[in-house]
Amino acid sequence: MIEDLIRRNRTFRRFHQNESVNSETLRELVNLARLGASAGNMQPLKYAISSDRELNARIFPTLAWAGYLKDWPGPPEGERPAAYVIILGDTNISSNFGCDHGIAAQNILLGAVERGLGGCMIGSIDRPKLREILSLPERYEILLVIALGKPKEKVVLDEVGPNGDIRYWREPDGTHHVPKRRLDEIVIELR
């Protein structure tokens, strides 16, 4: 079951924008993040959530989409996320967030897939602008943004070819391909 969820948990960048994700679902997903591991059990993460169309429209331009797709500025209107979870580090609790936000983001995305949703973990953010839009106090460091919605694209896993190119790419029909290294390439056998 977990392998199936992981295989289906792809990075989706195009959504059925008109299919909303309600606040209760976002709270359930944040709860999955809350239940996950935290270094030293410090639990320094906080989460800002939005399923509001107007606020989402203001959040969207603060995000950069798909660095390998140079001619693609991101999803057009109608294919944008229906919701966002902004993962914040509370500096009143800790100044080092380690890998906590990665664990939290993965829990959120796996929970989203289980609910028929998909998402995109975004680290390329205009943080000062997003801070201003959300009126966030300085104590909260913006770590990641998770874009969520019902996926509107097909994502396929491929094996990295002989040239070693790991860049994702799209077919003309929009099918998104993600090359993955073979298991034998990444496991180092210790003797």
Side-chain angles (χ1 to χ4, degrees), residues 106-171:
Q106 186 73 347
N107 286 2
I108 289 167
L109 290 169
L110 288 170
V113 168
E114 184 181 47
R115 289 163 174 77
L117 302 170
C120 181
M121 189 185 316
I122 303 170
S124 184
I125 306 160
D126 181 342
R127 286 172 171 80
K129 184 68 177 166
L130 184 57
R131 175 178 303 286
E132 178 185 322
I133 289 167
L134 301 177
S135 301
L136 288 174
E138 285 298 319
R139 75 184 259 194
Y140 298 119
E141 184 178 328
I142 298 170
L143 302 173
L144 288 172
V145 173
I146 310 288
L148 294 164
K150 183 172 181 199
K152 190 177 183 176
E153 65 184 340
K154 180 179 178 184
V155 179
V156 177
L157 295 180
D158 297 322
E159 192 173 286
V160 171
N163 66 359
D165 191 355
I166 49 84
R167 290 176 292 180
Y168 48 79
W169 57 280
R170 286 212 177 125
E171 291 183 47

Side-chain angles (χ1 to χ4, degrees), residues 15 25-26 33 36 38 65 67 71 82 88 104 106 122 129 138-139 149 167 176 179 185-186:
F15 305 92
T25 298
L26 294 178
S38 174
W65 295 82
D71 296 332
L88 309 168
Q106 186 73 347
I122 303 170
K129 184 68 177 166
E138 285 298 319
R139 75 184 259 194
R167 290 176 292 180
H176 191 85
E185 289 181 60
I186 65 169

Side-chain angles (χ1 to χ4, degrees), residues 12-21 50-63 65 72-84 118-120 122 146-153:
F12 296 101
R13 294 178 180 88
R14 295 183 304 136
F15 305 92
H16 294 277
Q17 186 173 347
N18 62 338
E19 295 194 29
S20 65
V21 178
S50 175
S51 57
D52 179 80
R53 286 180 185 264
E54 290 179 20
L55 182 54
N56 289 352
R58 294 176 59 213
I59 293 170
F60 179 82
T62 69
L63 309 173
W65 295 82
W72 192 65
E77 187 63 43
E79 294 186 349
R80 293 182 178 167
Y84 293 100
C120 181
I122 303 170
I146 310 288
L148 294 164
K150 183 172 181 199
K152 190 177 183 176
E153 65 184 340

